[in-house]
Amino acid sequence: MKCPVCKKYNTTEKFEINSYKILDCAACGHRFTGLKLNKEDIKEIYSDNYFFEGKDGYPDYTLEKDMLTGRGEKYAEIASRFMDPGTLLDVGAAAGFLMKGFENKGWKVVGVEPNSSMAGYGKENLGLDITVGTIEEARLDITVDLVLLIQVVAHLYDLDGSMDSINRILKKRGYLLVETWDKDSFMARLLGRRWHEYSPPSTLNYFSRETIDLLMGRHGFEKISSGRPGKKLHSRHAKSLLRHKLESSKSFKWLAGFEKILPENKYIPYPSEDLFWVLYRKTGRS
Ligand SMILES: [Zn+2]
């Protein structure tokens, strides 16, 4: 199987999850599923169930509204160290909560999202411009100063196609902000195959700080800055994820006590040692 990051054929099987093979590239260290999906599969995976029925997705995505809007504002502050507010595209925008945070800080915001209910929610309730589709297929006739890939790059089914679209849409010397999970983090290594991010077919690629740089470098981006977001999780989302883990694995029974001590309707801090962000800039070489 060809590695989607370095393009070499040197993979070994690491483990299997929900009968999907998880592969390691011996050449660059990237981990991925090798699943070939199309846009019909994507509609199925990101149906309303993903946003409202728990399991590997969300019990109710709209609970994340205030937290995500706040995070958008935080990222807008980070971006303001490098650029003035301009136009941005949020890839996998869901209901547009993150976009709203940037809008609050003076950005003109556009989104693309495969789930039509989520896009509709953002349009109707927040007045946002969100196109229904995937970045791989949507024909977006815009140019922007910044593209957001916030917890999205691991879900993209065609990395090169997506990056080509992003390069078309981004202005010369434009910026790309990526937030993703680190498969080489302490938490990921501690939990092994039980790490929450291993949830194919929703997630397809499992990056490290090195492999995300490799992918972006190959598409003409250089790293400008990086850090870790302070993450908060709604307690109902935390309970739902815990319940899903308890159902799917006997060795997680020890977690049962945690569900009882979690508050009912609050945001709780989530240790985000396994989550990081990187700001890239187009070098002009591609
Ligand atoms: Zn590779």
Side-chain angles (χ1 to χ4, degrees):
M1 183 86 56
K2 189 172 171 182
C3 169
V5 167
C6 74
K7 302 284 165 186
K8 294 195 177 106
Y9 292 87
N10 195 355
T11 50
T12 53
E13 195 180 322
K14 183 76 183 166
F15 42 71
E16 221 179 88
I17 293 182
N18 315 326
S19 73
Y20 297 105
K21 286 184 174 45
I22 307 292
L23 309 168
D24 269 354
C25 171
C28 75
H30 183 55
R31 185 166 291 170
F32 62 104
T33 59
L35 266 178
K36 294 272 173 276
L37 301 181
N38 59 38
K39 97 178 156 191
E40 292 310 311
D41 299 323
I42 296 298
K43 258 191 222 155
E44 173 86 31
I45 293 166
Y46 301 104
S47 68
D48 292 352
N49 293 351
Y50 180 79
F51 292 98
F52 292 102
E53 301 234 312
K55 301 201 167 98
D56 285 331
Y58 296 87
D60 179 356
Y61 188 79
T62 57
L63 291 172
E64 314 282 314
K65 184 176 178 210
D66 295 342
M67 188 271 288
L68 286 175
T69 305
R71 197 132 55 104
E73 290 174 355
K74 272 263 154 55
Y75 275 133
E77 281 162 25
I78 290 170
S80 72
R81 294 182 212 152
F82 305 93
M83 67 198 100
D84 291 327
T87 311
L88 73 80
L89 171 70
D90 187 10
V91 178
F97 300 144
L98 212 76
M99 287 166 69
K100 195 73 195 165
F102 272 85
E103 192 180 66
N104 292 345
K105 295 286 181 182
W107 284 79
K108 196 168 172 298
V109 294
V110 180
V112 58
E113 163 57 39
N115 180 284
S116 58
S117 308
M118 282 287 116
Y121 180 99
K123 275 185 230 179
E124 280 155 38
N125 297 288
L126 307 171
L128 295 169
D129 175 1
I130 304 175
T131 300
V132 178
T134 63
I135 185 67
E136 293 94 332
E137 319 253 5
R139 287 278 159 254
L140 295 161
D141 192 18
I142 47 167
T143 50
V144 300
D145 305 289
L146 171 65
V147 169
L148 304 180
L149 280 177
I150 307 294
Q151 290 189 33
V152 159
V153 69
H155 301 266
L156 297 174
Y157 66 91
D158 175 3
L159 286 175
D160 285 342
S162 305
M163 289 311 299
D164 289 344
S165 300
I166 287 168
N167 259 319
R168 255 197 315 274
I169 290 163
L170 250 191
K171 279 180 190 160
K172 206 173 151 186
R173 303 289 287 145
Y175 291 87
L176 171 65
L177 179 63
V178 180
E179 181 191 285
T180 193
W181 301 91
D182 181 2
K183 65 118 175 134
D184 286 344
S185 64
F186 173 74
M187 193 59 84
R189 283 182 288 130
L190 178 76
L191 294 175
R193 49 177 298 147
R194 292 183 187 86
W195 188 42
H196 64 86
E197 190 61 359
Y198 296 131
S199 53
S202 159
T203 55
L204 303 167
N205 285 283
Y206 312 100
F207 289 95
S208 67
R209 289 165 181 269
E210 287 77 29
T211 56
I212 192 78
D213 284 352
L214 269 176
L215 175 74
M216 296 311 170
R218 192 159 61 68
H219 285 278
F221 288 89
E222 63 180 346
K223 178 150 67 181
I224 299 292
S225 186
S226 68
R228 268 183 205 157
K231 190 167 161 65
K232 285 201 165 95
L233 196 65
H234 197 278
S235 55
R236 268 180 59 197
H237 189 188
K239 281 174 194 271
S240 155
L241 287 173
L242 274 176
R243 227 167 284 139
H244 180 58
K245 282 286 177 204
L246 291 169
E247 278 164 18
S248 58
S249 163
K250 282 197 175 58
S251 54
F252 268 83
K253 289 290 176 226
W254 59 273
L255 278 173
F258 282 109
E259 196 192 327
K260 295 196 189 74
I261 61 169
L262 285 174
E264 250 336 290
N265 206 17
K266 273 207 179 92
Y267 290 108
I268 50 172
Y270 172 86
S272 69
E273 179 269 338
D274 51 355
L275 188 64
F276 66 102
W277 61 264
V278 189
L279 182 69
Y280 296 96
R281 190 171 194 189
K282 237 171 152 169
T283 56
R285 283 200 300 270
S286 79

